[in-house]
Amino acid sequence: RAVLVDPGGDADDILDLVKRMDVYVVRIIVTHAHLDHFLAVDQVRDGIAKINKLRNMEAPSVSLHQADAMMWAMLPLQCRLLGIAEPSKPIANPTAWLTDKQQLSVLDGVVLSTPGHSPGSVCVHFAKAKLLLTGDTLFRGSIGRTDLWGGDPKQILASIRSRLLVLPDDTRVIPGHGAETTI
């Protein structure tokens, strides 16, 4: 069982990896609704659904924090403003909403609400694995931008202080961009 996080592009590469790893993807998590984190979600979900069907398994859910629903719906505007080609058809809405402290069925993962980069930004913590997926909340030596849709500099700092810096120092951090680091 696996979760897949932030399929922003390269759908074919993602699907090849899922096949090579021979995992059952039960959920696709989008850490926030900026286009570079979910632009390929339909292709990836549909591809994984086909893989899962061959194994007599269910299609994965697509999950997002509800506070980012409006930004999800604004995908065409995000594309136009950034000069990126819009999808040929609208991307399907998430099938499930993420909530703070939500338990995941994979590796005892827990969703941590970390607003600031966007209103609905989340991180995913796997305590036993000492692993944290941070989307664009925390990077190696930096934090996420707050000058984009829904960003709030005070809120992101509060999220990092209260939700992330309380984790063990040796927690491995995999950000949405760039090199990994530790807390």
Side-chain angles (χ1 to χ4, degrees), residues 17-125:
L17 183 61
V18 168
K19 289 175 191 171
R20 279 198 320 270
M21 292 181 74
D22 193 31
V23 293
Y24 169 40
V25 177
V26 296
R27 181 187 298 256
I28 298 171
I29 294 175
V30 178
T31 61
H32 65 286
H34 290 158
L35 66 85
D36 60 322
H37 290 261
F38 77 103
L39 196 56
V41 73
D42 276 357
Q43 285 177 276
V44 170
R45 184 203 57 240
D46 292 349
I48 291 172
K50 289 177 186 173
I51 294 167
N52 288 357
K53 186 174 183 179
L54 292 173
R55 300 172 179 164
N56 293 316
M57 310 252 185
E58 294 181 16
S61 62
V62 174
S63 303
L64 174 77
H65 193 285
Q66 195 165 8
D68 271 10
M70 186 183 335
M71 286 194 319
W72 181 284
M74 291 173 41
L75 176 63
L77 176 61
Q78 290 187 50
C79 290
R80 285 193 298 275
L81 290 173
L82 297 173
I84 295 172
E86 293 179 42
S88 57
K89 63 179 185 155
I91 289 183
N93 288 324
T95 55
W97 299 119
L98 297 171
T99 59
D100 188 39
K101 300 179 184 172
Q102 178 178 347
Q103 299 287 319
L104 302 176
S105 62
V106 175
L107 293 174
D108 296 321
V110 177
V111 175
L112 303 175
S113 179
T114 55
H117 179 65
S118 75
S121 286
V122 299
C123 295
V124 183
H125 184 223

